[in-house]
Amino acid sequence: MHSLRRRPLLVTVLLCAGAVLVARPTTGDGRTEGGDGRGGAGTGAGARVATLYEEAADASRRYEAGRVEAAERRREARLLEGRLARERREAAALREELGRLARAQYRDSGGLSAAAQAVLARGPEELMRHEHVFSRSNGAVEHAVERSRAAEAALAADEARAVRAWQALERRTARLAVLKKDIESKLDEARRRLQGQADAAVTAGACRGAERLDQPPLTDRRAWVAPVDGATLSAAFGSGGDHWANRHTGQDFAVPIGTPVRAVGAGRVVRVSCGGPFGIAVVLRHTDGSFTQYAHLASVAVDQGERVAAGRWIGQSGTSGNSTGPHLHFEARVTAETGSAVDPVRWLADRGVPAG
């Protein structure tokens, strides 16, 4: 009986221990305590988004290239169609001229036979001159008619080939549009899943650990780069609003969920946090002693203490924390702490990086 009374207490202890292991204790700002989280790959939602992100970009490029090429072939086909129409009009005019010459010959000869014309001519020179002038004129028109027919046939063949090429490209572009739409649909679903995991991590106040992404090779050798590609600048540094206690402390880059976020310069990860108004955020210390923060992320691809190169993917954009929509909140700071921010657009410009 004594052991039976102790069993409920043992079960409670085990359940509590399991909850602690799942939730992983964090510091007051949401940083994970104990270990650096290396090797944590989450469920692969971030990697799935990154893959689909690249596939969608490639599909968009191929679709746009196909659309442009199809438009060019369509333009060529229409130009050939116009040239063929002009050639046919010219051929009709030449045939009409040939008929006019034939009618003129008939009128001049009065319908007489060649023998009668020879008898009635005032002399052989007049007869030869008449025949030579008509023959030369008639031959020139006949030659022009034949050339026009040959040109018309060649143009008709060229037009047919251009139309076939245009229609084939149109069919290919239509298939690419379907493929593009399918990839974008899968990407939207993967983004929703990724953001759902990010929101759960922020609610729990515990980071899931770095999810390693298949990084492209670093071909840009500049010391400083923009934090994201293809962004639209939204809320600016120092602007006011209901979402900030005082003033906006960074520059917002409006980008879709899952957009790769890059380290703007070489440095070391000094903080990965998952809670509070910034949601999931990363802070870097750069080699020149300055700091940058990347907030409202959907996932992180680095661990605290890790060194990164300029342009290295450190996470994916999202809308975690105090955010009204998908974007990257980027800060440039004097220290790692909130409250030491400077104008990030000017900070980037001083390093040769245009923000917009």
Side-chain angles (χ1 to χ4, degrees), residues 296-342:
H296 303 311
L297 302 177
S299 75
V300 292
V302 291
D303 289 307
Q304 192 162 308
E306 188 173 340
R307 292 194 177 277
V308 295
R312 164 78 185 279
W313 288 358
I314 59 173
Q316 292 166 285
S317 64
T319 183
S320 60
N322 183 16
S323 171
T324 58
H327 71 282
L328 169 69
H329 174 87
F330 174 75
E331 289 191 14
R333 296 176 176 176
V334 176
T335 72
E337 306 305 323
T338 303
S340 63
V342 297

Coordinates of all heavy atoms in Angstrom, one line a residue, residues 296-342:
H296 N 11.4 39.4 -36.2 CA 10.1 38.9 -36.7 C 10.3 37.7 -37.7 O 9.6 37.5 -38.7 CB 9.3 40.0 -37.4 CG 9.0 41.2 -36.6 ND1 8.5 41.0 -35.3 CD2 9.1 42.5 -36.8 CE1 8.3 42.2 -34.8 NE2 8.7 43.1 -35.7
L297 N 11.4 36.9 -37.5 CA 11.7 35.8 -38.3 C 10.7 34.7 -38.2 O 10.0 34.5 -37.2 CB 13.1 35.3 -38.0 CG 14.3 36.3 -38.2 CD1 15.6 35.7 -37.8 CD2 14.3 36.9 -39.6
A298 N 10.7 33.8 -39.2 CA 9.9 32.6 -39.1 C 10.8 31.4 -38.8 O 10.3 30.4 -38.3 CB 9.3 32.3 -40.5
S299 N 12.1 31.5 -39.0 CA 13.1 30.4 -38.6 C 14.5 31.0 -38.5 O 14.7 32.1 -39.1 CB 13.0 29.3 -39.6 OG 13.7 29.6 -40.8
V300 N 15.3 30.3 -37.8 CA 16.7 30.7 -37.8 C 17.6 29.5 -38.3 O 17.2 28.4 -38.2 CB 17.2 31.0 -36.3 CG1 16.5 32.3 -35.8 CG2 16.9 29.9 -35.4
A301 N 18.7 29.9 -39.0 CA 19.6 28.9 -39.6 C 21.0 28.9 -38.9 O 21.9 28.3 -39.5 CB 19.7 29.2 -41.1
V302 N 21.1 29.6 -37.8 CA 22.4 29.7 -37.1 C 22.2 29.5 -35.6 O 21.1 29.6 -35.1 CB 23.1 31.1 -37.4 CG1 23.5 31.2 -38.8 CG2 22.1 32.2 -37.0
D303 N 23.3 29.3 -34.9 CA 23.2 29.1 -33.5 C 24.0 30.2 -32.8 O 24.9 30.8 -33.4 CB 23.8 27.7 -33.1 CG 22.9 26.6 -33.5 OD1 21.7 26.6 -33.1 OD2 23.4 25.7 -34.2
Q304 N 23.7 30.4 -31.6 CA 24.5 31.4 -30.8 C 25.9 31.0 -30.7 O 26.3 29.9 -30.5 CB 23.8 31.5 -29.4 CG 24.3 32.7 -28.6 CD 23.4 33.0 -27.4 OE1 22.2 33.1 -27.6 NE2 24.0 33.1 -26.2
G305 N 26.8 32.0 -30.9 CA 28.2 31.8 -30.9 C 28.8 31.5 -32.3 O 30.0 31.4 -32.5
E306 N 28.0 31.2 -33.3 CA 28.5 30.8 -34.6 C 29.0 32.0 -35.3 O 28.5 33.1 -35.3 CB 27.3 30.1 -35.3 CG 27.7 29.5 -36.7 CD 26.5 28.8 -37.3 OE1 25.6 28.4 -36.5 OE2 26.6 28.5 -38.5
R307 N 30.0 31.8 -36.1 CA 30.6 32.8 -37.0 C 30.0 32.7 -38.4 O 29.7 31.6 -38.9 CB 32.1 32.7 -37.1 CG 32.8 33.1 -35.8 CD 34.3 33.3 -35.9 NE 34.9 33.7 -34.6 CZ 34.9 34.9 -34.1 NH1 34.3 35.9 -34.8 NH2 35.4 35.2 -33.0
V308 N 29.7 33.9 -39.0 CA 29.0 33.9 -40.3 C 29.8 34.8 -41.2 O 30.4 35.8 -40.8 CB 27.6 34.3 -40.2 CG1 26.7 33.3 -39.4 CG2 27.4 35.7 -39.6
A309 N 29.7 34.6 -42.5 CA 30.3 35.4 -43.5 C 29.2 36.4 -44.1 O 28.0 36.1 -43.9 CB 30.8 34.6 -44.7
A310 N 29.6 37.5 -44.7 CA 28.7 38.4 -45.3 C 27.9 37.7 -46.4 O 28.5 37.0 -47.2 CB 29.4 39.6 -45.9
G311 N 26.6 37.8 -46.4 CA 25.7 37.2 -47.3 C 25.2 35.8 -46.9 O 24.4 35.2 -47.6
R312 N 25.7 35.3 -45.8 CA 25.3 33.9 -45.3 C 23.8 34.0 -44.9 O 23.4 34.9 -44.2 CB 26.2 33.5 -44.2 CG 25.7 32.4 -43.3 CD 25.8 31.0 -44.0 NE 25.2 30.0 -43.2 CZ 25.8 29.4 -42.1 NH1 27.0 29.8 -41.7 NH2 25.1 28.4 -41.5
W313 N 23.0 33.0 -45.3 CA 21.7 32.9 -44.8 C 21.7 32.6 -43.3 O 22.3 31.6 -42.9 CB 20.9 31.8 -45.5 CG 20.6 32.2 -46.9 CD1 20.9 33.3 -47.6 CD2 19.9 31.3 -47.9 NE1 20.4 33.2 -48.9 CE2 19.8 32.0 -49.1 CE3 19.3 30.0 -47.8 CZ2 19.2 31.4 -50.2 CZ3 18.7 29.5 -48.9 CH2 18.7 30.2 -50.1
I314 N 21.0 33.5 -42.5 CA 20.9 33.3 -41.1 C 19.5 32.9 -40.6 O 19.3 32.6 -39.4 CB 21.5 34.5 -40.3 CG1 20.6 35.7 -40.7 CG2 22.9 34.8 -40.6 CD1 20.9 37.0 -39.8
G315 N 18.6 33.0 -41.5 CA 17.2 32.7 -41.1 C 16.3 33.0 -42.3 O 16.7 33.3 -43.4
Q316 N 15.0 33.0 -42.0 CA 13.9 33.3 -43.0 C 12.9 34.3 -42.4 O 12.6 34.2 -41.2 CB 13.2 32.0 -43.4 CG 14.1 31.0 -44.1 CD 13.5 29.6 -44.2 OE1 13.5 28.9 -43.2 NE2 13.0 29.3 -45.4
S317 N 12.5 35.2 -43.2 CA 11.6 36.2 -42.8 C 10.2 35.7 -42.4 O 9.9 34.6 -42.9 CB 11.4 37.3 -43.9 OG 10.8 36.7 -45.0
G318 N 9.5 36.4 -41.6 CA 8.2 35.9 -41.1 C 7.4 37.1 -40.6 O 7.6 38.2 -41.0
T319 N 6.5 36.8 -39.7 CA 5.7 37.8 -39.0 C 5.5 37.4 -37.6 O 4.4 37.6 -37.0 CB 4.4 38.0 -39.8 OG1 3.6 39.0 -39.2 CG2 3.6 36.7 -39.9
S320 N 6.5 36.9 -36.9 CA 6.4 36.5 -35.5 C 6.5 37.8 -34.6 O 7.1 38.8 -35.0 CB 7.5 35.5 -35.2 OG 8.8 36.1 -35.4
G321 N 6.0 37.6 -33.4 CA 6.0 38.7 -32.4 C 5.0 39.8 -32.7 O 4.0 39.6 -33.3
N322 N 5.4 41.1 -32.4 CA 4.5 42.2 -32.6 C 4.6 42.7 -34.1 O 5.3 43.6 -34.4 CB 4.9 43.3 -31.6 CG 3.9 44.5 -31.8 OD1 2.9 44.4 -32.3 ND2 4.3 45.6 -31.2
S323 N 3.9 42.0 -34.9 CA 4.0 42.2 -36.4 C 2.7 42.2 -37.0 O 1.8 41.4 -36.7 CB 4.9 41.2 -37.0 OG 4.9 41.3 -38.4
T324 N 2.4 43.1 -37.9 CA 1.1 43.2 -38.6 C 1.1 42.5 -40.0 O 0.1 42.5 -40.7 CB 0.7 44.7 -38.8 OG1 1.7 45.4 -39.5 CG2 0.5 45.4 -37.5
G325 N 2.3 42.0 -40.4 CA 2.4 41.4 -41.7 C 3.8 40.9 -42.0 O 4.7 41.3 -41.3
P326 N 4.0 40.1 -43.0 CA 5.3 39.5 -43.3 C 6.3 40.6 -43.6 O 6.1 41.4 -44.5 CB 5.1 38.6 -44.5 CG 3.6 38.3 -44.4 CD 3.0 39.5 -43.9
H327 N 7.4 40.7 -42.9 CA 8.5 41.6 -43.2 C 9.7 41.3 -42.3 O 9.6 40.5 -41.4 CB 8.1 43.0 -42.9 CG 7.9 43.4 -41.5 ND1 6.8 43.0 -40.7 CD2 8.7 44.1 -40.6 CE1 6.9 43.5 -39.5 NE2 8.1 44.1 -39.4
L328 N 10.8 41.9 -42.7 CA 12.1 41.8 -41.9 C 12.2 43.1 -41.2 O 12.2 44.2 -41.8 CB 13.3 41.5 -42.7 CG 14.6 41.7 -42.0 CD1 14.8 40.6 -40.9 CD2 15.8 41.7 -42.9
H329 N 12.3 43.1 -39.8 CA 12.7 44.3 -39.1 C 14.2 44.2 -38.9 O 14.7 43.4 -38.2 CB 12.0 44.2 -37.7 CG 12.4 45.3 -36.8 ND1 11.8 46.6 -36.8 CD2 13.3 45.4 -35.8 CE1 12.4 47.3 -35.9 NE2 13.3 46.6 -35.3
F330 N 14.9 45.2 -39.5 CA 16.3 45.2 -39.4 C 16.8 46.4 -38.6 O 16.3 47.6 -38.8 CB 16.9 45.3 -40.8 CG 18.4 45.5 -40.9 CD1 19.3 44.5 -40.7 CD2 18.9 46.8 -41.2 CE1 20.6 44.6 -40.7 CE2 20.3 46.9 -41.3 CZ 21.2 45.9 -41.0
E331 N 17.7 46.2 -37.7 CA 18.3 47.3 -36.9 C 19.8 47.3 -37.0 O 20.4 46.2 -37.1 CB 17.9 47.1 -35.4 CG 16.4 47.4 -35.1 CD 16.1 47.5 -33.6 OE1 17.1 47.6 -32.8 OE2 15.0 47.5 -33.2
A332 N 20.4 48.5 -36.9 CA 21.8 48.6 -36.7 C 22.0 49.3 -35.4 O 21.3 50.2 -35.0 CB 22.4 49.6 -37.8
R333 N 22.9 48.7 -34.6 CA 23.0 49.1 -33.2 C 24.5 49.4 -32.8 O 25.4 48.8 -33.4 CB 22.5 48.0 -32.2 CG 21.0 47.8 -32.3 CD 20.6 46.6 -31.4 NE 19.2 46.3 -31.4 CZ 18.6 45.3 -30.7 NH1 19.4 44.5 -30.0 NH2 17.3 45.2 -30.8
V334 N 24.6 50.2 -31.8 CA 25.9 50.5 -31.2 C 26.3 49.3 -30.2 O 27.5 49.0 -30.1 CB 25.9 51.8 -30.5 CG1 27.3 52.1 -29.8 CG2 25.6 52.9 -31.4
T335 N 25.3 48.8 -29.6 CA 25.6 47.6 -28.7 C 24.6 46.5 -29.1 O 23.8 46.7 -30.0 CB 25.3 48.0 -27.2 OG1 23.9 48.2 -27.0 CG2 26.1 49.2 -26.8
A336 N 24.6 45.4 -28.4 CA 23.7 44.3 -28.7 C 22.3 44.5 -28.1 O 21.4 43.8 -28.5 CB 24.3 43.0 -28.1
E337 N 22.2 45.5 -27.3 CA 20.9 45.7 -26.6 C 20.0 46.7 -27.3 O 20.4 47.6 -28.0 CB 21.2 46.2 -25.1 CG 22.2 45.4 -24.4 CD 21.7 43.9 -24.3 OE1 20.5 43.7 -24.1 OE2 22.6 43.0 -24.3
T338 N 18.7 46.5 -27.0 CA 17.7 47.4 -27.5 C 17.9 48.8 -26.9 O 18.3 48.9 -25.7 CB 16.3 46.9 -27.1 OG1 16.1 45.6 -27.6 CG2 15.2 47.8 -27.6
G339 N 17.7 49.8 -27.7 CA 17.8 51.2 -27.2 C 19.1 51.8 -27.7 O 19.3 53.0 -27.5
S340 N 19.9 51.0 -28.4 CA 21.2 51.6 -29.0 C 21.2 51.7 -30.5 O 22.2 51.8 -31.1 CB 22.4 50.8 -28.5 OG 22.3 49.5 -29.0
A341 N 19.9 51.7 -31.1 CA 19.8 51.6 -32.5 C 20.2 53.0 -33.2 O 19.9 54.0 -32.6 CB 18.4 51.2 -32.9
V342 N 20.7 52.9 -34.4 CA 21.0 54.1 -35.2 C 20.2 53.9 -36.5 O 19.7 52.8 -36.8 CB 22.5 54.3 -35.5 CG1 23.2 54.5 -34.2 CG2 23.1 53.1 -36.2

